[in-house]
Amino acid sequence: MRLMEDLSYSANEGTPEMDQTVSLHSRFSNAHQQRKVVVVGYALTSKKTKSFMKPKLEGLARNKGILFVAIDQNRPLSDQGPFDIVLHKLSGKEWRQILEEYRQTHPEVTVLDPPDAIQHLHNRQSMLQAVADMDLSLSYGKVGVPKQLVIKKDASSISDAVVNVGLKLPLVAKPLVADGSEKSHQLSLAYDKYSLQKLEPPLVLQEFVNHGGVMFKVFIVGEAIKVVRRFSLPNVSMWEVLKNAGIYHFPRVSHAAASADDADLDPCVAELPPRPLLERLAKELRRRLGLRLFNLDIIREYGTRDHYYVIDINYFPGYGKMPEYEHIFTDFLLGLVQSKYKKRTTY
């Protein structure tokens, strides 16, 4: 934390007695007037800056003693600041290297989040591995991942590979690289194995799980969790699988305009996942992924009350679409600095 002090001046200067009195008074006055400011340097894309750095967030942050400062990407990072926290979402090997070097030379600064940890979420093959390894099964629910297959090249071999591993149609096709671009969010639904060769590797094929057309977006900010409903792909019946053929392409399925929170839904579909289940899942993933800012796309298998699947994980998602994100995020930033300060004072 940086100390921003209100400087006091006195006209009574010159005598030792008065100098001593003024000095004592100034120290007492400054101790009460100094304001602790948390300086957060941010390096975001222009799109992310527009959606996240809203006036309401910056105003609330100022009232809580948080100052957001834009990082100049044309200047060395070490020459800027000093920062308490660096918040970032930029891509590229060069930026990752800059951040890693900065973390080594500025261990006192919290970088949200470590570049190497973020990289695991840029590949859909490794993205869901942490969830699969957990095999989370508790009294209030079970969490897994859909059965999936990675195809890195040679589209002509996809149909044989699908048969060999026993994937059931229909299949959801997603780009292997999840870098936050529009292309990485494009989905396709394949109804027959012969059309699979029309897909463009590298990609991931996931078994489609009927979930009532509703997905749960679980936003995670440190230990805080916020859940919203989003419309998703509708259920697909066996009759539809037999009747339809080919590949159906979809734009980004989950979008702010597709909010399902106020929709008149079947209560069995609309019911949110149990809070204890989400808290356990989030805690485990924070530890396994080494991340504090991410969200989970979760679906509940249609016809069940407690069987959930994580189908996607995103780093630093669209928090601007999360209700009350300004309060949640500023409290999180303050908590980070206070926690680090407490650790320093115990040594």
Side-chain angles (χ1 to χ4, degrees):
M1 284 181 284
R2 318 298 169 195
L3 301 180
M4 307 296 289
E5 299 184 359
D6 295 324
L7 300 178
S8 300
Y9 295 93
S10 172
N12 298 310
E13 294 181 12
T15 65
E17 293 83 5
M18 193 59 82
D19 284 346
Q20 187 177 17
T21 303
V22 170
S23 177
L24 289 171
H25 172 76
S26 296
R27 275 185 282 175
F28 178 82
S29 177
N30 287 340
H32 284 75
Q33 293 180 27
Q34 65 185 207
R35 186 163 56 95
K36 295 176 182 178
V37 174
V38 176
V39 183
V40 181
Y42 66 92
L44 308 172
T45 62
S46 56
K47 182 180 178 181
K48 179 63 73 173
T49 300
K50 185 177 180 180
S51 67
F52 180 75
M53 297 300 303
K54 294 180 180 179
K56 185 177 179 181
L57 172 67
E58 294 192 83
L60 181 63
R62 278 194 299 272
N63 291 338
K64 291 185 176 183
I66 301 171
L67 179 64
F68 283 104
V69 178
I71 291 173
D72 186 347
Q73 297 174 48
N74 297 315
R75 291 175 53 207
L77 185 54
S78 293
D79 292 350
Q80 302 179 61
F83 303 120
D84 294 294
I85 296 170
V86 167
L87 188 65
H88 70 98
K89 191 174 184 181
L90 295 176
S91 57
K93 187 175 181 180
E94 184 179 355
W95 173 249
R96 291 201 306 273
Q97 186 175 347
I98 290 171
L99 269 186
E100 285 295 356
E101 291 175 358
Y102 183 80
R103 290 181 70 214
Q104 296 298 322
T105 55
H106 296 76
E108 76 284 359
V109 179
T110 300
V111 174
L112 294 173
D113 272 311
D116 287 348
I118 297 170
Q119 278 301 105
H120 289 294
L121 299 189
H122 286 173
N123 183 304
R124 284 196 166 94
Q125 183 176 14
S126 58
M127 173 195 292
L128 300 180
Q129 193 59 50
V131 181
D133 291 342
M134 286 169 56
D135 192 25
L136 188 61
S137 183
L138 303 168
S139 58
Y140 30 75
K142 180 178 181 180
V143 180
V145 299
K147 194 172 181 180
Q148 67 179 31
L149 173 67
V150 176
I151 304 293
K152 295 185 177 179
K153 54 184 179 180
D154 189 12
S156 63
S157 66
I158 296 180
S159 58
D160 289 337
V162 165
V163 172
N164 290 338
V165 299
L167 287 187
K168 297 177 182 177
L169 295 166
L171 297 174
V172 178
K174 304 178 182 181
L176 180 61
V177 176
D179 57 5
S181 65
E182 283 301 315
K183 183 179 179 181
S184 70
H185 289 289
Q186 293 175 352
L187 303 181
S188 301
L189 194 62
Y191 280 94
D192 70 287
K193 66 177 183 178
Y194 301 106
S195 299
L196 293 172
Q197 60 187 357
K198 298 177 183 178
L199 296 171
E200 297 180 16
L203 53 83
V204 171
L205 295 173
Q206 289 180 347
E207 285 189 343
F208 180 76
V209 178
N210 281 332
H211 51 282
V214 172
M215 176 174 65
F216 305 105
K217 272 201 168 292
V218 182
F219 291 96
I220 295 166
V221 183
E223 295 184 4
I225 299 172
K226 195 81 172 180
V227 188
V228 296
R229 300 177 187 86
R230 292 283 184 265
F231 284 117
S232 182
L233 299 179
N235 287 347
V236 177
S237 67
M238 184 56 66
W239 182 80
E240 288 176 291
V241 175
L242 296 173
K243 184 186 75 167
N244 293 307
I247 305 290
Y248 292 79
H249 300 283
F250 298 90
R252 191 167 186 167
V253 173
S254 172
H255 196 271
S259 173
D261 279 330
D262 298 323
D264 185 16
L265 299 171
D266 179 343
C268 294
V269 172
E271 184 182 3
L272 296 176
R275 189 76 186 182
L277 182 71
L278 295 180
E279 289 175 350
R280 174 71 179 275
L281 179 62
K283 181 179 180 180
E284 278 295 313
L285 286 177
R286 281 197 306 270
R287 183 179 67 83
R288 290 170 182 260
L289 297 174
L291 298 173
R292 284 170 280 197
L293 301 176
F294 59 99
N295 85 330
L296 310 172
D297 289 348
I298 297 180
I299 58 175
R300 179 196 293 113
E301 185 173 1
Y302 190 71
T304 75
R305 287 201 62 187
D306 59 359
H307 201 168
Y308 300 91
Y309 292 91
V310 177
I311 58 174
D312 236 337
I313 305 177
N314 304 288
Y315 167 68
F316 203 145
Y319 286 118
K321 303 167 190 172
M322 180 179 80
E324 303 176 351
Y325 89 98
E326 301 92 346
H327 291 275
I328 293 172
F329 215 93
T330 49
D331 286 346
F332 164 67
L333 295 175
L334 289 176
L336 277 181
V337 175
Q338 290 166 359
S339 175
K340 181 166 280 192
Y341 178 75
K342 286 178 182 177
K343 286 181 181 178
R344 286 176 186 167
T345 57
T346 56
Y347 291 108

